[in-house]
């Protein structure tokens, strides 16, 4: 037998095998006419009857008609699996692959919940920090000074006759007390948001707090999580990081001694300044503020602004990059799980599913990076963020349609360019 004959015989065997697989699948998902025609064309090959050129041509025509009918009902991947003998009606998806897909879906859901909750908490903290920065601290303290001066110039009977200054004084103290309380708590809240953006670091930090012992005892658990060095913890009472020695020059903070007045104040000015400091100190003590860090108000305000800038940068990263990738990948995983649950389509193999999910995340990231700079949506607006996530999820679920749209657009642009070149050559 020549090489051409062997090749022809091998092609015929492959045609017969694929026609049989397709016939078995069309029994469930096609019209009776198409299935009957393919079955009749396969009868000579399933029996001991003589097979000639006429039977081969008839089988080829019936196979082409059945193939066209199958394309209209199932997708290309399922059809490819059917021709390999892996029809979804006769094969089951491996349990291991199903468990992996379900785990990937739960992981992406947890990541989406983590970053969404983190962004909402960060937005709340940033709003509080903005209100703190816009607060007119000097005017509020001077209001207390003016009221204190007013009281000192009035007799006890005159003070009791008019209660409005007392109400104004209590209101001013309450406003300052709330402001100093924010100054004491906001650094810890902002530090928490900066640390807990990464879920891996957050879980590792919580594990260290549970496992690590203050005595420094080395066990297999402490060695596993690496208990040394222990992460610093914000101390709200001291207004600084506990157990952390920070060089003021590193953070651009000027030492307190260098902020002293360089001129010799008069006696009247010193009295007024002492009165302002006294009222400020008393208000801080009433709000639970430690008196030994009173002079660090400007430093803490400056540090809050730095932390706010860092949080804003991380918030933009989450909204522009992290969440679109997660929602795009989640849409792809949902599509893969749907194929597992549907009895009429073939489930994707694990390699193809992982590759498709990675491509969906990349496509969602590209979509987000194109829409935001183009001002199609605003990443900073609460009403626009769900639109980006929805588009990322939709394109992740139907990434094939997204690629088909890009191919159609590419073909249209190519035809336009070619027609333009032909018109220029014709001139």
């Amino acid at each position: 037998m020549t090489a051409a004959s062997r090749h022809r015989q091998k092609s015929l065997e492959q045609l017969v095998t694929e026609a049989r697989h397709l016939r078995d699948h069309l029994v469930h998902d096609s019209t009776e006419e198409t299935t009957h025609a393919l079955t009749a064309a396969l009868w000579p090959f399933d029996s001991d009857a003589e097979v000639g050129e006429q039977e081969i041509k008839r089988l080829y025509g019936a196979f082409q008609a059945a193939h066209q009918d199958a394309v209209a009902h199932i997708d290309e991947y399922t059809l490819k699996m059917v021709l390999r003998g892996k029809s979804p009606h006769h094969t089951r998806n491996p349990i291991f692959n199903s468990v992996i897909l379900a785990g990937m879906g739960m992981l992406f859901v947890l990541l989406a919940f983590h970053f969404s909750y983190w962004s909402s908490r960060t937005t709340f903290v940033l709003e509080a920090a903005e209100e703190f920065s816009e607060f007119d601290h000097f005017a509020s303290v001077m209001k207390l000074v003016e009221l204190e001066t007013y009281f000192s110039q009035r007799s006890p009977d005159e003070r009791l006759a008019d209660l409005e200054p007392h109400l104004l004084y209590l209101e001013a103290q309450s406003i300052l007390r709330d402001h100093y309380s924010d100054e004491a708590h906001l650094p810890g809240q902002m530090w928490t948001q900066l640390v807990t953006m990464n879920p891996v670091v957050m879980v590792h930090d919580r594990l260290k707090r549970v496992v690590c012992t203050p005595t420094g005892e080395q066990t297999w658990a402490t060695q596993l999580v690496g208990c040394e060095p222990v992460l610093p913890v914000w101390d709200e009472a001291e207004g600084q990081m506990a157990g952390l020695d920070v060089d003021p020059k590193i953070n651009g903070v000027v030492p307190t001694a260098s902020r002293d007045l360089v001129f010799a104040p008069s006696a009247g000015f010193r009295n007024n300044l002492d009165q302002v400091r006294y009222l400020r100190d008393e208000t801080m003590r009433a709000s639970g503020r430690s008196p030994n860090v009173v002079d660090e108000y400007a430093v803490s305000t400056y540090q809050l602004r730095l932390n706010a800038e860092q949080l804003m940068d991380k918030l933009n990263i989450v909204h522009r990059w992290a969440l679109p990738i997660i929602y795009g990948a989640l849409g792809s995983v949902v599509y893969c799980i749907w194929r597992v649950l549907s009895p009429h389509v073939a489930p994707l193999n694990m390699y193809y599913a992982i590759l498709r999910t990675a491509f969906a995340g990349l496509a969602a990231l590209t979509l987000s990076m194109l829409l935001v700079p183009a001002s199609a949506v605003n990443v900073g607006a609460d009403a626009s963020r769900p639109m980006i996530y929805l588009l990322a999820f939709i394109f992740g679920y139907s990434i094939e349609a997204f690629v088909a749209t890009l191919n159609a657009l590419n073909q249209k642009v190519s035809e336009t360019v070619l027609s333009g070149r032909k018109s220029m050559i014709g001139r």
Side-chain angles (χ1 to χ4, degrees):
M1 182 180 292
T2 62
S5 300
R6 289 196 299 269
H7 179 72
R8 185 172 183 274
Q9 182 65 25
K10 185 177 180 180
S11 300
L12 179 60
E13 292 176 356
Q14 182 178 358
L15 174 63
V16 172
T17 301
E18 291 181 352
R20 287 170 178 168
H21 294 158
L22 185 59
R23 176 198 59 191
D24 296 339
H25 179 78
L26 292 180
V27 172
H28 302 275
D29 293 334
S30 185
T31 60
E32 184 179 355
E33 180 180 357
T34 304
T35 307
H36 178 73
L38 186 59
T39 303
L42 279 172
W43 181 82
F45 299 90
D46 294 336
S47 63
D48 296 333
E50 186 69 22
V51 177
E53 291 295 331
Q54 189 67 25
E55 286 75 12
I56 296 176
K57 291 180 179 180
R58 182 182 177 187
L59 176 62
Y60 182 78
F63 178 80
Q64 290 294 329
H67 189 277
Q68 293 296 329
D69 185 63
V71 169
H73 293 86
I74 59 177
D75 60 287
E76 295 182 358
Y77 184 85
T78 302
L79 183 57
K80 182 172 65 175
M81 292 294 104
V82 167
L83 296 181
R84 293 180 180 179
K86 298 180 179 179
S87 174
H89 300 290
H90 304 290
T91 58
R92 294 182 179 179
N93 190 48
I95 298 179
F96 180 72
N97 293 354
S98 303
V99 171
I100 292 180
L101 285 176
M104 290 173 58
M106 291 300 300
L107 175 63
F108 287 127
V109 169
L110 292 177
L111 286 176
F113 174 79
H114 167 76
F115 283 111
S116 298
Y117 179 75
W118 182 88
S119 64
S120 63
R121 291 289 305 167
T122 301
T123 302
F124 173 78
V125 172
L126 287 175
E127 290 176 354
E130 184 178 1
E131 293 179 0
F132 179 87
S133 300
E134 294 177 353
F135 181 80
D136 195 345
H137 177 253
F138 177 77
S140 299
V141 174
M142 289 307 300
K143 186 176 181 180
L144 285 179
V145 174
E146 293 174 0
L147 291 172
E148 185 71 17
T149 304
Y150 171 82
F151 292 145
S152 63
Q153 295 175 356
R154 297 293 187 276
S155 63
D157 295 337
E158 291 177 341
R159 296 178 190 174
L160 296 176
D162 189 5
L163 295 179
E164 184 176 359
H166 294 271
L167 295 177
L168 293 176
Y169 187 83
L170 292 176
E171 181 183 3
Q173 267 202 333
S174 177
I175 293 175
L176 275 176
R177 188 180 300 113
D178 294 339
H179 180 70
Y180 293 139
S181 298
D182 291 339
E183 182 196 2
H185 293 88
L186 275 177
Q189 295 176 0
M190 300 180 79
W191 172 260
T192 301
Q193 294 304 116
L194 287 171
V195 172
T196 57
M197 174 187 172
N198 190 336
V200 178
V201 175
M202 181 185 66
V203 173
H204 185 263
D205 181 50
R206 290 181 178 177
L207 187 61
K208 290 179 69 173
R209 293 176 185 274
V210 174
V211 174
C212 295
T213 57
T215 58
E217 181 182 355
Q218 291 294 326
T219 62
W220 67 269
T222 57
Q223 296 176 3
L224 180 64
V225 299
C227 289
E228 296 294 340
V230 179
L231 291 178
V233 182
W234 183 267
D235 190 350
E236 295 184 355
E238 295 294 333
Q240 60 184 0
M241 301 302 297
L244 183 64
D245 296 331
V246 181
D247 186 0
K249 297 181 180 179
I250 297 178
N251 295 330
V253 180
V254 183
T256 306
S258 64
R259 296 199 301 270
D260 294 339
L261 299 176
V262 295
F263 60 91
S266 62
F269 181 84
R270 284 198 300 268
N271 292 334
N272 293 335
L273 187 61
D274 291 340
Q275 185 179 12
V276 172
R277 288 179 175 175
Y278 172 77
L279 292 173
R280 185 185 63 180
D281 296 355
E282 290 300 319
T283 307
M284 286 185 175
R285 290 190 184 94
S287 63
R289 186 84 153 75
S290 180
N292 59 346
V293 290
V294 168
D295 292 334
E296 299 299 325
Y297 175 82
V299 178
S300 62
T301 304
Y302 174 74
Q303 190 63 38
L304 280 176
R305 287 198 297 268
L306 292 181
N307 291 343
E309 293 177 359
Q310 295 178 3
L311 275 178
M312 184 60 68
D313 293 338
K314 288 193 174 185
L315 191 63
N316 289 331
I317 292 175
V318 167
H319 288 310
R320 184 176 294 187
W321 295 350
L323 281 175
I325 291 177
I326 291 173
Y327 279 107
L330 180 61
S332 177
V333 172
V334 170
Y335 175 80
C336 296
I337 294 177
W338 169 79
R339 294 188 69 97
V340 173
L341 299 177
S342 178
H344 301 286
V345 295
L348 304 179
N349 62 63
M350 187 50 56
Y351 173 77
Y352 188 85
I354 294 177
L355 185 62
R356 186 186 189 279
T357 301
F359 181 65
L362 179 62
L365 173 62
T366 305
L367 183 69
S368 174
M369 296 181 67
L370 290 176
L371 288 178
V372 174
S375 299
V377 291
N378 186 7
V379 74
D382 294 335
S384 300
R385 294 172 189 167
M387 181 61 66
I388 299 178
Y389 308 150
L390 178 61
L391 292 176
F393 182 85
I394 291 176
F395 282 120
Y397 184 86
S398 57
I399 191 66
E400 290 82 6
F402 176 66
V403 173
T405 303
L406 293 180
N407 291 333
L409 180 62
N410 181 37
Q411 184 178 1
K412 185 66 177 179
V413 173
S414 301
E415 292 176 355
T416 304
V417 173
L418 290 177
S419 61
R421 289 181 179 179
K422 290 180 180 179
S423 61
M424 292 178 63
I425 293 175
R427 294 179 183 176

